[in-house]
Structure formats: structure tokens, C-alpha cells
Amino acid sequence: MSNQKPETGAFFQRDRNWQPDAYTPKYKTSILRSPQKPLLSLDGTLSEITGPVFGHNILGELDNDLLLNFSKDGQTPVGERIVVHGRVLDERGVPVKGALIEFWQANAGGRYRHKKETYLAPLDPNFGGCGRTITDENGGYCFRTVKPGAYPWPNGVNDWRPAHIHFSLFGHGFSQRLITQMYFEGDPLIWMCPIVQSIGDKDAINQLIAPLDMASAIPMDSLAYKFDIILRGRRSTLFENRREGN
Amino acid sequence: MTQPLTYFKETPSQTAGPYVHIGCTPNFSGLEGVFPADLGTKMLSGEAEGKRIIIRGRVLDGTGAPIKDALVEIWQADAKGLYNSPTEHRGQADPNFTGWGRCPSDMTSGEFVFETIKPGQVPFKDGRLMAPHVTLWIVARGINIGLQTRMYFSDEEKANADDPILVRIEHRHRVSTLIGTKSGDEYTFDIHLQGDNETVFFDI
Ligand SMILES: [Fe+2]
């Protein structure tokens, strides 16, 4: 345990040019689900600067192991075995430790295990498709899984999602809350996808593409991909007015 | 030449998609046996201080239809106005109240429901008190970046009138989009993504 006090500054303004717009008509569902009036822009208050933090006690031993957390009789799922790892930092480069990360994905055939999912690719009896972990003191995290398959979705007649893993992140303040998707280096479907294209800046899209990381691959076992995630940074409160006693 | 300003860019958001439940509320989506329970379903234990309330609502799209695949999270102070968070430096919040809840829209009705307590008042930066409120974060298929808003309480007219955030809303008739309507111990709060009643969303 460090005796460093938690930081309590407000978060940097979000760069709305870097982030996707709400209204992106090539992604048809966004048309009726995007606010049309201007957002009310405000500096964060205690309600946004604070946020829930989760302890390691919520984690089960296999929560970051998608090869085993739904396995029947020790059998592992079909597909390319991979390790996904990286660090969660804020915009200042400060590691975000103790951050809860939840992830979910389709199986190697591109099929999700969900009540509402009807894609004809088969379920894998040994693959659930969800996991979670909490970042360590350096903001590091890792999990293992199989590489998800691409899948078709009803938008255009022949639109396919590139292989991806969904990520949900909690930082230390509720305004850092983020949901995103990780893509895989070299996938040509990335650049055809209307959901990816909701992001206007090519460099911002590149920030979602995890490179193959041979240095972290496990010989004769798993390939590895490295995916670093940046959450909003906090202002220093050094020279901000504080009431007596704060 | 100057030194470079070395800041990173925030990772871009992407839609939570139609299967957000798999990762965030797997038991709700029929994916059982991985996590013992879905996170955020229980905000308080028996001893929690404060008045028990229910918050109930729907997320409505631009045609007025309820969205059936949204995920709503709330974050709020305890009965004394303290947040159960390491970044809360004013005191120790009620250990029997998490302050954080997560609820998927019902797959048939689109309704979300939170069993919680009425929050106390929290100071604004200049020391004035904000009216009691709950912060909401909404994600769904078709929402490219999570939407943040607040619910205030219809039985707090005086505090609402003085609230330093609500007074910033230029078009005064839109303030009502942030007020949950009380009926007994329940507050109803529908979130309109578009239209004349579009909810005020925050960039905060
Ligand atoms: Fe997906």
C-alpha cells in the first residue's frame, strides 16, 4: 500500500474531435439514437470526479481466462489461442491502478453466446465469451482467450464486423467510464466497418488496433496482442481554490 | 523550438453493441456460471442509512420507442452526501451503500429499475450545495459514446431552483428533462435521446 493520497482534480475536457460523433448515418442505428441538441459542457464536480472502485475480492480465479472459465471437463474452446495484455494509463501517462476491466467477445466462429443472437455459426460448448480483471500497481492487465471470428450484421446488405473484443473500463472517477473495442493488426475488414468509421480521425482508429506482440507470445502455446488503453487525465489541483478544511 | 507537450489521447469510444450484456450482465443474458452474480444489481444492504426509493425509467429513441438493449449505470452520494469512493476526501461514506448501480433495459418493456436511497446534497466547487441528484451513464447499440446526464428529484423544488448546474441550462423548459417525477417512494425518469423532450446530456 502506498500512502499517497488519491488525486481529486477534475478531468481534462474530452476531445470530441478525436472521439466519435453521436450521429454517424452510415451506422444506421445511430440515426435515431444520437442526441441532436448540444451537450451541456461543464467542469467536473465531485459527482464526476469520484467513482466506484472494485476490490480484487470480486474476482474469481478464472475470470481473466476465457479458455477455462466456461470449459466443460477441462476442454478448451476451438480457435487460435491468444494472450491480450497492456496497460491502462491516463492522458498524462500516469498508470491507472485498480481499474476494473470487463471484456466480451464472439467465439472463433464469430458467434456470441446471447439469448438474442441468431447467427448461423455454431456456439462452442467450451466458450462463454466474457471475462474481467483489475489492473495492477503499474496499470497492467492480461487475459487469455481465443481470437474471435468476424461476423455479419444487419446494417448494409453485406456488412461484416472485423474481429474485435469489447472492453468496458472504470477508472477512478465516473467521468472516465469508457466502453470501446479492440481490433487486430492487419485485418482488412477494419477499414470497411461503419462502426469503426464512426471515428473520423485515422490516428484515433489506429489507437484501437492491437499489434501482434511476439515478445509476449508463449512458444508452442499462444500468440499475443498488446492493447494499451488511455483514460481521461486529471488536472492537478495545486493552485485551485479550496475552501478551508478541504 | 519548445519542449514537446507530451500528453496521450483518450482511447476512442465504440458502441457497446447489442451484446453488452455478455460482458456487463452475463447472467441477465443467459450466460450463467462464469460470474456468481451480475455487478451493480444490489446497491445497499439492510443497514444502509437513508430513505429507500425506486428509480424507474426507459431510454426512448427518436421515434419514441423504448430501447430494449440499453445498459444504464447510476452513481450517487449516500444519505449524507458522501461518495463511496477513494477519491472522496470529505469523510467516510456509508459502508452499506455502494452508490453505484447497473441495470440493463428489460428485453420486452425496455424498463430499467434501481432500488436505492435518496442521496444527500453534495457541494459544488465554490461550496454552494447542489440539489440531490443521481448521475446516469447510458450505453447501447447505436450510441457511439456513452451519454452522461443527471436525475434530480421533483420533491426538491427549492434545492433544484438553486442548483448551480441546473441554472446553467439556457432553455429553461429543458430543465424538466432532468427531473424524476415522484409517486410514493418511486421516481420515474424517462430518457429521451431525441425530439422536443430530448434529455439534456452533459459533456463533463
Ligand atoms: Fe461485437
Side-chain angles (χ1 to χ4, degrees):
Chain A
M1 287 293 285
S2 94
N3 55 10
Q4 197 184 329
K5 286 226 176 72
E7 296 180 291
T8 55
F11 295 104
F12 301 158
Q13 175 176 310
R14 208 161 220 161
D15 184 346
R16 296 275 170 181
N17 292 320
W18 188 257
Q19 292 291 342
D21 285 335
Y23 177 77
T24 50
K26 279 186 285 181
Y27 175 23
K28 292 179 184 173
T29 315
S30 77
I31 296 174
L32 289 169
R33 295 185 172 194
S34 44
Q36 295 169 331
K37 296 184 167 56
L39 301 176
L40 180 62
S41 293
L42 295 164
D43 198 23
T45 72
L46 277 167
S47 304
E48 292 78 32
I49 291 167
T50 58
V53 169
F54 302 85
H56 285 83
N57 60 316
I58 68 162
L59 297 180
E61 214 173 307
L62 297 177
D63 280 6
N64 69 340
D65 189 350
L66 281 67
L67 296 185
L68 290 179
N69 73 11
F70 201 76
S71 137
K72 305 283 173 291
D73 309 320
Q75 296 190 53
T76 53
V78 173
E80 191 178 321
R81 296 160 64 91
I82 59 170
V83 170
V84 177
H85 75 109
R87 292 214 295 162
V88 181
L89 307 173
D90 76 10
E91 288 167 287
R92 301 167 301 170
V94 177
V96 185
K97 51 189 171 187
L100 175 66
I101 312 179
E102 298 161 297
F103 23 86
W104 65 100
Q105 63 168 90
N107 68 24
R111 172 75 187 265
Y112 282 103
R113 187 175 285 278
H114 188 284
K115 276 184 202 173
K116 297 274 179 184
E117 156 76 298
T118 56
Y119 180 37
L120 54 80
L123 284 169
D124 183 327
N126 295 304
F127 192 71
C130 70
R132 60 188 178 186
T133 188
I134 292 178
T135 56
D136 64 23
E137 287 289 303
N138 303 311
Y141 75 92
C142 67
F143 62 94
R144 65 175 188 165
T145 184
V146 292
K147 189 172 176 186
Y151 60 83
W153 60 297
N155 186 65
V157 173
N158 191 25
D159 279 342
W160 292 71
R161 295 303 324 282
H164 61 276
I165 300 177
H166 296 265
F167 280 72
S168 159
L169 289 111
F170 289 81
H172 299 163
F174 202 54
S175 272
Q176 285 178 306
R177 197 79 185 79
L178 180 72
I179 279 186
T180 189
Q181 302 182 26
M182 180 198 107
Y183 303 100
F184 293 85
E185 177 181 8
D187 185 346
L189 290 170
I190 293 171
W191 304 101
M192 303 176 198
C193 175
I195 288 176
V196 173
Q197 288 163 3
S198 68
I199 302 168
D201 188 314
K202 186 162 186 269
D203 290 337
I205 294 174
N206 282 327
Q207 201 178 350
L208 297 181
I209 304 176
L212 178 68
D213 177 8
M214 290 307 287
S216 298
I218 307 167
M220 307 305 285
D221 182 328
S222 301
L223 285 171
Y225 287 86
K226 183 163 188 287
F227 187 53
D228 291 334
I229 300 162
I230 308 296
L231 300 180
R232 288 171 74 182
R234 266 177 204 280
R235 272 205 319 266
S236 153
T237 51
L238 286 177
F239 290 97
E240 294 200 26
N241 287 325
R242 281 280 183 82
R243 286 190 308 147
E244 290 296 312
N246 268 1
Chain B
M1 285 291 282
T2 61
Q3 292 185 5
L5 253 182
T6 49
Y7 288 103
F8 293 119
K9 300 299 288 182
E10 184 190 15
T11 297
S13 168
Q14 291 271 264
T15 179
Y19 305 127
V20 59
H21 314 109
I22 295 176
C24 294
T25 57
N27 294 288
F28 173 83
S29 72
L31 171 47
E32 282 160 1
V34 181
F35 306 149
D38 292 337
L39 277 186
T41 50
K42 203 166 171 285
M43 297 180 67
L44 46 87
S45 55
E47 274 34 338
E49 283 177 58
K51 183 169 166 40
R52 268 60 175 167
I53 59 165
I54 287 173
I55 297 172
R56 192 185 284 282
R58 298 167 302 164
V59 183
L60 304 160
D61 73 13
T63 70
I67 291 185
K68 294 166 185 174
D69 51 15
L71 183 78
V72 179
E73 291 183 1
I74 65 172
W75 173 239
Q76 64 165 91
D78 69 7
K80 292 200 170 77
L82 293 168
Y83 282 101
N84 192 341
S85 169
T87 41
E88 171 62 84
H89 55 89
R90 296 169 300 147
Q92 172 66 51
D94 182 350
N96 295 306
F97 181 64
T98 67
W100 176 76
R102 171 187 271 175
C103 186
S105 302
D106 183 88
M107 289 187 197
T108 309
S109 68
E111 192 174 67
F112 60 82
V113 182
F114 294 98
E115 289 178 35
T116 182
I117 55 127
K118 184 135 178 232
Q121 287 187 272
V122 176
F124 191 57
K125 276 184 301 187
D126 60 9
R128 278 183 291 166
L129 289 176
M130 296 191 279
H133 64 273
V134 169
T135 295
L136 294 96
W137 185 74
I138 302 118
V139 293
R141 177 172 65 97
I143 295 178
N144 291 324
I145 180 165
L147 300 170
Q148 203 164 322
T149 187
R150 285 185 178 189
M151 187 197 95
Y152 289 82
F153 295 83
S154 66
D155 53 335
E156 295 283 349
E157 269 182 54
K158 170 78 177 72
N160 292 343
D162 294 337
D163 182 79
I165 301 287
L166 292 179
V167 299
R168 291 281 305 274
I169 297 171
E170 180 186 349
H171 301 94
R172 298 310 295 163
H173 69 279
R174 298 194 67 206
V175 171
S176 65
T177 69
L178 300 183
I179 313 279
T181 310
K182 181 174 162 68
S183 163
D185 293 333
E186 289 199 12
Y187 293 84
T188 303
F189 187 64
D190 281 346
I191 296 159
H192 297 260
L193 298 181
Q194 297 179 350
D196 292 342
N197 291 323
E198 182 177 312
T199 300
V200 176
F201 295 104
F202 291 35
D203 178 26
I204 191 165

